Amino acid sequence: MGPIWPSYYGNCRSLLFMIDASNPTQLSAACAQLLGLLSAEPLAEAQVLILFNKTDLSCYMTVEEMKSLIRLPDIIACAKQNITVADISARTGTGLTQVLRWLQDTHGAG
Ligand SMILES: Nc1nc2c(ncn2[C@@H]2O[C@H](COP(=O)(O)OP(=O)(O)OP(=O)(O)O)[C@@H](O)[C@H]2O)c(=O)[nH]1
């Protein structure tokens, strides 16, 4: 789907980017896609939420190791966008309160 993402950039005010924290083999591809999104001019003003999902599953690498591997702190420091990061599990609901709060703060959703 990546190649058609630019057709959705127009009027995009926020971006939720989900990374599968149970599958580090996808991490480099996810990072490349994230960098492409963050450098897209139409998304320069977007509010960004990066979600590390499936944190309920055991994995040979911790979420903190994954963040370090893709140099997430540097990505956040260099990005034009305001970036928030949340560790979540869509299955257990862990972290979803933070996601809802972000949506409320970003869009004033009730
Ligand atoms: N354990 C767990 N499973 C999840 C979580 N979120 C989604 N899943 C499951 O992961 C499977 C695929 O979910 P999808 O939302 O379809 O994701 P996808 O990107 O199409 O597929 P994947 O690449 O396999 O994640 C489904 O069986 C979901 O129930 C989570 O936080 N924890």
Side-chain angles (χ1 to χ4, degrees), residues 11-66:
N11 298 319
C12 180
R13 289 196 293 137
S14 62
L15 170 68
L16 277 74
F17 189 86
M18 189 175 284
I19 295 173
D20 186 338
S22 75
N23 189 354
T25 62
Q26 298 176 341
L27 198 56
S28 61
C31 182
Q33 287 183 316
L34 176 63
L35 292 173
L37 289 164
L38 295 177
S39 61
E41 195 52 41
L43 299 177
E45 306 283 320
Q47 298 291 317
V48 178
L49 177 61
I50 300 174
L51 301 167
F52 284 82
N53 188 36
K54 303 194 186 182
T55 56
D56 59 293
L57 297 175
S58 61
C59 182
Y60 57 86
M61 192 178 275
T62 67
V63 174
E64 292 314 310
E65 286 170 331
M66 288 183 223

Side-chain angles (χ1 to χ4, degrees), residues 69-106:
L69 193 61
I70 64 171
R71 299 181 62 178
L72 189 57
D74 291 340
I75 291 173
I76 292 170
C78 294
K80 297 185 203 114
Q81 296 87 350
N82 186 21
I83 300 178
T84 302
V85 182
D87 303 347
I88 68 161
S89 167
R91 177 155 293 175
T92 65
T94 300
L96 297 190
T97 304
Q98 188 186 349
V99 174
L100 291 173
R101 196 179 311 121
W102 183 88
L103 287 169
Q104 194 164 20
D105 292 347
T106 306

